[in-house]
Amino acid sequence: LYQECQNLSIEWCKHLAKPNVSIYDLGCSTGSLLLPLARSLSRVPGLRIIGVDNSVAMLNKARLKLKHFSNSIELIEANLSESFSFEKTSAVVMNYTLQFIPQKNRALLLKQIYNSLIPGGGLIINEKILGENERLSETFIEMHHNYKQDHGYSKMEISKKRDALENVLIPLKLSKTIVLLREAGFDNMDTFFKWNNFAGLIALK
């Protein structure tokens, strides 16, 4: 349901966008969200969309994809695990990005995001999560792997990806992420998407 989550992220950005205020896509990769986001928000005056990623190769691909929107989209190479300077923003999107930030750095990043948001601005997070119940969490993961097999992935491909992401992608329980958001200052939060061990959250300032 990757595309559905992309679409929901865009809808939230359309709801939150303000003239002359930036929107961030953190962990923008090759710009798969930035392109439809720029098209959807093309009539918002003075809007700047900023994509951030730590991979030069990914950003180069994004530049090619976004060449017709070079005036409204800025791409920045940065490591979000370190301190990052945000402009004032109306919306920040993190699609499958927070899970790759070392746990010890997540609280600081979320606080920086909160401080950068204008009143009424929001953080949109789509994330892989752990189930609240260990037994059910294992079933969610099994269902996810079955879904991959049903859509053409081999057991070897699934196993290799799982091994490659071990100790790199560190999911948290949804309740733990909500605690981190509260500690960062967010008071208004809700889940707008949930499928097995994946969830989408909106947190408003």
Side-chain angles (χ1 to χ4, degrees):
L1 301 177
Y2 180 81
Q3 188 58 55
E4 284 75 8
C5 290
Q6 292 274 57
N7 294 341
L8 286 167
S9 298
I10 291 168
E11 286 302 311
W12 276 111
C13 287
K14 286 165 66 176
H15 178 76
L16 296 167
K18 301 293 181 186
N20 304 310
V21 183
S22 299
I23 285 178
Y24 282 87
D25 178 12
L26 304 183
C28 65
S29 188
T30 62
S32 61
L33 176 69
L34 290 172
L35 183 58
L37 188 59
R39 287 172 174 160
S40 297
L41 300 176
S42 61
R43 296 185 179 180
V44 181
L47 175 69
R48 290 178 64 241
I49 301 174
I50 302 172
V52 182
D53 205 279
N54 65 352
S55 169
V56 174
M58 294 290 190
L59 290 174
N60 286 338
K61 290 182 179 180
R63 285 189 182 93
L64 290 174
K65 190 181 294 184
L66 302 167
K67 59 185 178 181
H68 297 302
F69 291 91
S70 57
N71 292 332
S72 58
I73 297 177
E74 179 182 355
L75 297 175
I76 298 174
E77 180 195 349
N79 184 352
L80 293 168
S81 297
E82 302 168 358
S83 183
F84 182 78
S85 180
F86 288 91
E87 297 179 6
K88 282 298 179 184
T89 178
S90 60
V92 176
V93 181
M94 296 184 77
N95 280 347
Y96 318 105
T97 299
L98 189 63
Q99 61 199 25
F100 289 106
I101 303 296
Q103 289 191 61
K104 61 185 177 66
N105 301 105
R106 294 183 193 184
L108 175 60
L109 177 58
L110 292 173
K111 185 63 177 177
Q112 289 174 326
I113 291 170
Y114 179 83
N115 290 339
S116 74
L117 287 167
I118 62 173
L123 169 61
I124 301 121
I125 298 177
N126 285 291
E127 193 84 334
K128 191 171 187 177
I129 60 170
L130 296 176
E132 300 294 327
N133 176 281
E134 185 175 346
R135 180 179 173 187
L136 291 175
S137 186
E138 291 173 357
T139 305
F140 288 152
I141 293 169
E142 180 184 345
M143 287 181 173
H144 180 212
H145 290 166
N146 290 340
Y147 177 86
K148 284 184 172 183
Q149 287 186 59
D150 291 343
H151 287 76
Y153 288 85
S154 69
K155 288 184 178 180
M156 180 64 71
E157 287 173 324
I158 295 169
S159 178
K160 282 185 176 180
K161 184 169 184 181
R162 187 171 188 175
D163 291 344
L165 293 176
E166 189 173 3
N167 300 321
V168 177
L169 189 166
I170 310 295
L172 299 176
K173 292 180 178 179
L174 186 58
S175 58
K176 175 60 176 175
T177 299
I178 289 172
V179 168
L180 288 174
L181 290 168
R182 282 206 182 98
E183 291 175 347
F186 292 99
D187 291 324
N188 302 289
M189 292 168 283
D190 211 336
T191 304
F192 63 80
F193 172 83
K194 178 74 168 67
W195 183 87
N196 288 340
N197 54 326
F198 290 88
L201 282 166
I202 178 69
L204 301 179
K205 183 172 182 178

